[in-house]
Amino acid sequence: RIEMRAHLPPAGQVEAGSLIREVVQGLEPLASRSHITLKTALPSEPLIVRGDRDELIQVFQNLIQNAIKYGNEGGRVDITLAIDADGVHLGVD
């Protein structure tokens, strides 16, 4: 669905840090079953980004689920959200 709407610019705005916290909380049980720790490094101040809330949740879920699925059992998934002069960066390692 996201790819089908790629040509439409997003109109909404969401706070990315709280969205990622919500996704991580929802994926904790999946990570726990694989003995994987989810670790976040998010900015303390709100980080507003342009996008559709539901679509961003889907993207974040897919990225983090893949990291859990393809990571080593007993490992750790680091989720980092930062902003600098080049823009907003999301890392999932």
Side-chain angles (χ1 to χ4, degrees):
R1 187 185 92 185
I2 293 170
E3 291 170 355
M4 289 174 40
R5 294 183 48 179
H7 65 286
L8 300 175
Q13 294 185 338
V14 295
E15 202 287 299
S18 63
L19 212 59
I20 291 172
R21 281 186 203 91
E22 181 180 330
V23 169
V24 167
Q25 184 178 10
L27 292 174
E28 283 286 350
L30 176 65
S32 181
R33 285 192 294 276
S34 296
H35 307 289
I36 291 178
T37 302
L38 300 178
K39 180 159 174 41
T40 58
L42 306 173
S44 57
E45 67 279 350
L47 181 55
I48 306 299
V49 297
R50 184 175 302 222
D52 178 84
R53 183 182 190 284
D54 292 337
E55 289 178 357
L56 288 171
I57 285 176
Q58 185 65 50
V59 168
F60 296 155
Q61 283 177 336
N62 288 349
L63 289 170
I64 297 168
Q65 281 176 335
N66 284 343
I68 293 167
K69 182 177 178 180
Y70 298 110
N72 294 326
E73 185 170 330
R76 183 173 90 185
V77 174
D78 294 314
I79 302 113
T80 306
L81 180 65
I83 188 166
D84 62 21
D86 294 324
V88 176
H89 303 280
L90 173 68
V92 178
D93 298 312

